[in-house]
């Protein structure tokens, strides 16, 4: 397979390792990997083909000579390739900076950490807002159906390009955890270990229900125009509602009580039914912020990929699959979106397949958001798990 | 106080009891009680006044000579006065027909049962879709802020009109339970017993959060026009989304799993992102059905009343309040919208106030909807509770 780096001067050196050693992790940048030849088109689960494809990705730490220390980080629904460090001029680090870096859970002194934006998204990888080469206009709804398997397939190309035969680990929370599980199902021989956090092997009807309302709220916005809004302005109001719904499910009852209780806001006069309680004001704010950084069609495509996800039964570990990958399954006590019971289901499946699995339900009041903020408990578990995986 | 019946030929007979004896409960009709004189205006909790006021109500069974057998049923968010029996020509009985009737939990052979539509609603009682006498046009957002206390205040006028000094019982589920608790707080001397089902003494931040998104989704519909849509057509799409959100919270994870699992629907070609799973199709159907029978502004006003509701601390039973009303508090194991823990909070408050309280958490997989469908368990509890209240 060919493939090319854009915005990246010395690809050869990357693979040999040194230039990406970032001692401070202070400054990182997103890079782009393209596979553009017709022969390189992605064969999607739907039967359709997708190409050319760009993957936005970042790397932290050095790939060792044996290429045996690579850890692939997979992001959640609205995440991106910028998992750690700082972009030039920005105040906020990547979304999992508390977990990735020198001395951290994913220790960049020891491991070569990669994170790429999923296809179907809108953070640099090819998605419905990308230009359709057949028309020269954004794909919109002519973008093909994407599944979690397809996201993993695109990542596999990137891993191939780096010449990594076997990942030390694939890790992620929420949708990132699904991708990690999918790696084990799609390429059992190419992962030594899997860390799946706050996730499920199968989207439940409740999870589908939330996503359905999320999609309907985007489509109910009359400016959505069947996905063909790029020349007119996006369906901001619908997308903001969608994100508000999401945010409710990311928190726990306890964290809402602690953070907001029934505290009132200052209501703006002249705005009827402006939120009167802090919790409502917070949700509205988060919804309105979100529309500045996310594409509504990408939200439709990715939530659908989530809903399709089903590695229940023997689909996670096929009877003839390789069984020497190890698994670490982490859940959080107050997570009601991807509750501990779903992690227990994963563990049961793995044990039935006679797979080496460690699991832990961490106590947290942060609900589903816990995987982003509960640094200490996760660090202990992940550091030990990675060390023992590395030494095997 | 004056007051008049419209659509009701012989009010005097009502009070004496016989004409409303409905042996079969087969056919009932909604009646209307008006208080229209300026002196009869409702003093609202906000400080504003509301009038003229119409209350839609139904009654079942006979009021006895002592007027000691009256049970007031309070409905939930989207309920109405039609709690039991059949309207002429309709196939579907009232919303709590399984609980109200001869030999049922609220036994119309023994009790005189009343149910009235809340003010602020849209099922016959005065609400934002009613004509504002000052303008001759629908109130829209010029309708005053309504609280649960105001709803109870309007019901109190109806009870006065019937000459009932003390209700044998006030009962309801969800928002109906809040009204029942509010009766005990507002008029402790006028209720002998209270049945509060699947409810709370205080809307939590999570409950407020869902209602906030519900309101925002209505207002995000550009046809809402700041509530002034009556001449143009209602914000159906926004209201449908709102109701879909609500429906998710009415069910339980177990009931969704049982009813829908991950079953697929037949997708209509040409409708992009049409629901592909049964659970999504169901929600969309329910949302679209709902807009035919409910006013969007009423949904805004009533959800706000819910969010304001807070009888926590000593507000439920004031230190100088009468304490001889008895309480029955019922919750359902799988109800995560008004979870058993909130019922336990009510019980704790009542016990602290040295009030006679019985409570029960019924096992059910129906989530919040359980109060509408779990006939058997509720019937046993309520029948015994009412009997002993009546005999005291």
């Amino acid at each position: 397979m060919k493939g090319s780096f854009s915005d990246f001067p010395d690809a050869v050196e990357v693979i040999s390792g040194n230039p990406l050693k970032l001692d401070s992790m202070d400054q990182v940048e997103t890079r782009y990997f393209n596979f553009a030849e017709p022969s390189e088109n992605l064969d999607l689960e739907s039967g359709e083909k997708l190409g050319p494809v760009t993957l936005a990705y970042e790397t932290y730490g050095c790939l060792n000579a044996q290429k045996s220390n690579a850890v692939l980080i997979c992001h959640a629904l609205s995440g991106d390739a910028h998992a750690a460090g700082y972009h030039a001029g920005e105040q906020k680090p990547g979304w999992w900076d508390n977990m990735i870096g020198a001395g951290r859970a994913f220790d960049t002194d020891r491991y070569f950490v990669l994170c790429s934006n999923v296809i179907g998204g809108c953070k640099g990888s090819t998605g419905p807002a990308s230009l359709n080469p057949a028309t020269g206009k954004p794909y919109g709804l002519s973008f093909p159906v994407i599944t979690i398997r397809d996201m993993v397939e695109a990542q596999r190309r990137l891993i191939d390009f780096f010449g990594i035969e076997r990942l030390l680990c694939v890790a992620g929370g929420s949708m990132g955890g699904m991708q990690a599980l999918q790696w084990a199902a799609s390429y059992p021989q190419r992962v030594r270990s899997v860390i799946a956090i706050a996730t499920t092997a199968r989207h439940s009807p409740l999870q589908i229900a939330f996503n359905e309302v999320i999609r309907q709220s985007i489509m109910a916005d009359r400016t959505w125009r069947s996905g063909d809004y790029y020349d007119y302005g996006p369906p901001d109001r619908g997308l903001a509602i969608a994100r508000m719904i999401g945010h409710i499910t990311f928190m726990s009852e306890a964290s809402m009580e602690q953070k907001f209780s029934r505290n009132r806001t200052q209501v703006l006069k002249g705005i009827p039914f402006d939120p009167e309680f802090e919790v409502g004001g917070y949700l509205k704010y988060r919804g309105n912020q979100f529309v500045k950084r996310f594409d509504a069609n990408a939200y439709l495509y990715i939530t659908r990929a989530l809903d399709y996800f089903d590695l229940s039964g023997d689909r996670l570990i096929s009877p003839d699959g390789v069984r020497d990958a190890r698994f670490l399954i982490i859940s959080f006590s107050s997570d009601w979106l991807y509750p501990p019971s779903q992690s227990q289901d994963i563990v049961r499946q793995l044990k039935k397949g006679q797979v080496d699995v460690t699991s832990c339900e961490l106590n947290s009041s942060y609900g589903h958001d816990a995987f982003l903020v509960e640094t200490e408990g996760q660090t202990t578990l992940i550091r030990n798990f990675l060390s023992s995986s590395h030494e095997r």
Side-chain angles (χ1 to χ4, degrees), chain A residues 63-71 110-112 164-169 192 389-390:
Chain A
L63 188 59
N64 62 18
Q66 304 83 13
K67 298 183 178 174
S68 64
N69 70 335
V71 174
R110 301 186 66 187
Y111 309 117
F112 176 63
I164 298 163
E165 274 186 35
R166 199 160 181 215
L167 288 161
L168 170 61
C169 184
R192 291 175 68 186
S389 299
H390 198 199

Side-chain angles (χ1 to χ4, degrees), chain A residues 301-332:
Chain A
Y301 274 83
I302 297 177
T303 56
R304 182 169 61 185
L306 288 170
D307 289 350
Y308 284 161
F309 188 67
D310 183 6
L311 287 180
S312 62
D314 59 2
R315 283 186 286 268
L316 179 50
I317 302 295
S318 64
D320 57 348
V322 178
R323 289 194 183 82
D324 62 350
R326 306 168 67 220
F327 286 73
L328 172 62
I329 310 296
I330 301 175
S331 61
F332 300 95

